[in-house]
C-alpha cells in the first residue's frame, strides 16, 4: 500500500466522523520535506429518489480547522509518513476543480457549469443531479424567450468545470 493510500485510510474515518467527505489526498516531495494536501468536501444530501435539486452548503473554515487538528493528531500518533518532516494543508476543493464524479455535480446544484462531450460543448446551470446524469437549465438562444432543460449522462462527459460568476447571486436567473 502506497503512502498516499495509507494516509487516506488513516484519515478517512476522521473526516467522515465530522460529517465531511475526503475528496482528495496527495503526498508530494518538497525539498527535505513532504507536503500532505487534504481536500475536504460536504456530502450532498440526496432526496429519496436519489436526486438533489437544492444547493449544498460550503465547507466552513471551522470544519476545516477542526478536521485539520484531528488529522494532525492522528499523524503524530503513527509512523505512516516516517521520520521526515511534513507540511499539512487541509482545504476545500475550490471552484477550479474538474467535476468528475456524480457527487461533484450534486454538490454544485445551482451553479453554472461548462460541459464538453464528444458531440458538443454546453454551458448551463445545474437544476438537478442524480447518480447517472445531470440536468442543466439552458437559456434559449437566437432571440427566443425562456429556457430549456437538457439531461446529460455522466458517461458522455469528457470535461466539466464550474464557471466563475461575478456579481450578486440575486441578479442571476
Amino acid at each position: 500500500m502506497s503512502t498516499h493510500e495509507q494516509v487516506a485510510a488513516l484519515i478517512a474515518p476522521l473526516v467522515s466522523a465530522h460529517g465531511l467527505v475526503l475528496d482528495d489526498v496527495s503526498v508530494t516531495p518538497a525539498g527535505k520535506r513532504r507536503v500532505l494536501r487534504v481536500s475536504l468536501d460536504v456530502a450532498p444530501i440526496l432526496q429519496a429518489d436519489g436526486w438533489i435539486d437544492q444547493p449544498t452548503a460550503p465547507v466552513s473554515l471551522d470544519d476545516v480547522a477542526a478536521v485539520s487538528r484531528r488529522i494532525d493528531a492522528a499523524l503524530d500518533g503513527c509512523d505512516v509518513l516516517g521520520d521526515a518532516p511534513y507540511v499539512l494543508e487541509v482545504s476545500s476543493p475550490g471552484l477550479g476543480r474538474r467535476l468528475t464524479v456524480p457527487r461533484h455535480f450534486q454538490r454544485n446544484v445551482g451553479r453554472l457549469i461548462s460541459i464538453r462531450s464528444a458531440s458538443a460543448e454546453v454551458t448551463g446551470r445545474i437544476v438537478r443531479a442524480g447518480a447517472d446524469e445531470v440536468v442543466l437549465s439552458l437559456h434559449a438562444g437566437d432571440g427566443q424567450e425562456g429556457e430549456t432543460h437538457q439531461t446529460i449522462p455522466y458517461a458522455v462527459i469528457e470535461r466539466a468545470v464550474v464557471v466563475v460568476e461575478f456579481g450578486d447571486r440575486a441578479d442571476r436567473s
Side-chain angles (χ1 to χ4, degrees):
M1 188 181 295
S2 71
T3 302
H4 165 269
E5 292 168 331
Q6 290 176 1
V7 170
L10 174 71
I11 66 175
L14 303 173
V15 172
S16 179
H18 202 75
L20 298 174
V21 175
L22 182 60
D23 191 62
D24 191 31
V25 174
S26 69
V27 181
T28 54
K32 294 180 181 179
R33 313 175 172 220
R34 287 179 281 180
V35 177
L36 170 57
R37 289 186 179 91
V38 177
S39 178
L40 308 174
D41 207 354
V42 175
I45 300 171
L46 302 177
Q47 298 167 351
D49 63 0
W51 287 79
I52 183 168
D53 60 7
Q54 296 294 315
T56 303
V59 177
S60 74
L61 290 176
D62 290 340
D63 288 338
V64 171
V67 173
S68 181
R69 285 190 295 273
R70 292 186 74 184
I71 291 171
D72 195 36
L75 291 171
D76 286 347
C78 71
D79 65 348
V80 70
L81 291 174
D83 294 333
Y86 66 91
V87 174
L88 174 62
E89 296 179 2
V90 181
S91 66
S92 63
L95 288 177
R97 155 185 78 184
R98 283 189 176 182
L99 308 178
T100 58
V101 296
R103 179 177 46 82
H104 295 166
F105 291 88
Q106 294 164 346
R107 170 82 181 77
N108 285 288
V109 166
R111 290 205 167 121
L112 191 65
I113 66 167
S114 175
I115 293 177
R116 183 179 69 216
S117 67
S119 61
E121 188 162 335
V122 63
T123 299
R125 193 163 307 280
I126 300 177
V127 176
R128 292 173 40 110
D132 300 315
E133 56 195 14
V134 61
V135 178
L136 299 182
S137 171
L138 310 171
H139 286 295
D142 300 329
Q144 297 178 6
E145 294 288 324
E147 61 183 45
T148 60
H149 288 156
Q150 182 175 355
T151 301
I152 303 172
Y154 298 129
V156 303
I157 297 174
E158 293 176 353
R159 184 175 193 273
V161 294
V162 173
V163 175
V164 178
E165 297 180 275
F166 296 99
D168 187 5
R169 188 173 189 95
D171 292 341
R172 297 181 203 144
S173 54

